[in-house]
Amino acid sequence: MKDKFRQFPQVLQKQILIRFTAGIVTLLMLVIILLYRGGLELMFPCIGFSAIFFISALQLYARCDEKNYVVIKGTCTEIEKTGLRRKVKDIYVKEDQFTVRIVRPSMKLRSLNVGDRIIIYLADNAPVYEMDGCKVICNTLAVEKEYGS
């Protein structure tokens, strides 16, 4: 299992570990609640969140194991940012045949500039929409900036 995990792309490994760690943290919160409060009304949300994080991690592991994801590599052509806090709102990536617009990328891309190479990982059954000549993707598994090469 560990050898299979090491064969996954680095950014997807990180996503699996983040989700699994979040599940462990919520289980620890459950233990703390049991030790200090003991109330049932606070136990159920911890159990629910923990289950959701563990199931999400297992689903992503299974998706990576079966290679049920699509990889899109391209060059960043435009970055739209929000007005007030200047967070990344949309990213436009030019691939060979088409342009992809990533709406509200969940990954924090540090020092992303126009002209950088971007790798997008998305589920093979993720919806892709057409708008203004761009392919619009709202749900990605991971987005990373390609370094080197």
Side-chain angles (χ1 to χ4, degrees):
M1 187 168 172
K2 190 185 249 187
D3 293 332
K4 284 184 183 179
F5 181 75
R6 291 180 192 266
Q7 293 175 354
F8 301 157
Q10 192 76 22
V11 69
L12 294 178
Q13 288 179 13
K14 184 178 177 182
Q15 282 297 307
I16 293 170
L17 290 175
I18 287 171
R19 295 173 189 193
F20 188 72
T21 304
I24 290 173
V25 168
T26 54
L27 278 181
L28 290 175
M29 291 300 295
L30 175 65
V31 170
I32 291 171
I33 288 170
L34 286 174
L35 290 175
Y36 287 107
R37 174 79 163 76
L40 290 175
E41 64 274 359
L42 295 176
M43 288 176 28
F44 291 123
C46 286
I47 292 170
F49 283 128
S50 180
I52 288 169
F53 285 128
F54 283 130
I55 290 170
S56 176
L58 289 174
Q59 284 178 334
L60 185 56
Y61 181 88
R63 181 174 299 280
C64 292
D65 189 30
E66 297 169 3
K67 299 204 185 315
N68 289 340
Y69 58 89
V70 177
V71 180
I72 299 173
K73 295 182 181 182
T75 305
C76 179
T77 58
E78 184 181 345
I79 302 169
E80 288 184 15
K81 295 190 176 187
T82 59
L84 188 59
R85 298 190 67 200
R86 306 298 297 161
K87 289 188 176 185
V88 175
K89 183 173 142 187
D90 295 335
I91 299 173
Y92 290 87
V93 178
K94 176 74 172 145
E95 207 263 340
D96 290 337
Q97 299 110 359
F98 50 85
T99 301
V100 177
R101 176 181 165 203
I102 305 168
V103 179
R104 303 257 182 215
S106 58
M107 308 291 293
K108 294 191 189 288
L109 297 169
R110 308 232 188 265
S111 67
L112 180 65
N113 298 313
V114 174
D116 289 343
R117 298 281 300 162
I118 301 288
I119 303 173
I120 306 165
Y121 297 92
L122 62 137
D124 59 350
N125 58 355
V128 179
Y129 306 101
E130 180 81 30
M131 181 191 288
D132 299 330
C134 291
K135 306 288 185 188
V136 179
I137 300 172
C138 297
N139 299 322
T140 59
L141 296 175
V143 178
E144 74 174 325
K145 181 177 172 182
E146 187 176 26
Y147 294 100
S149 22

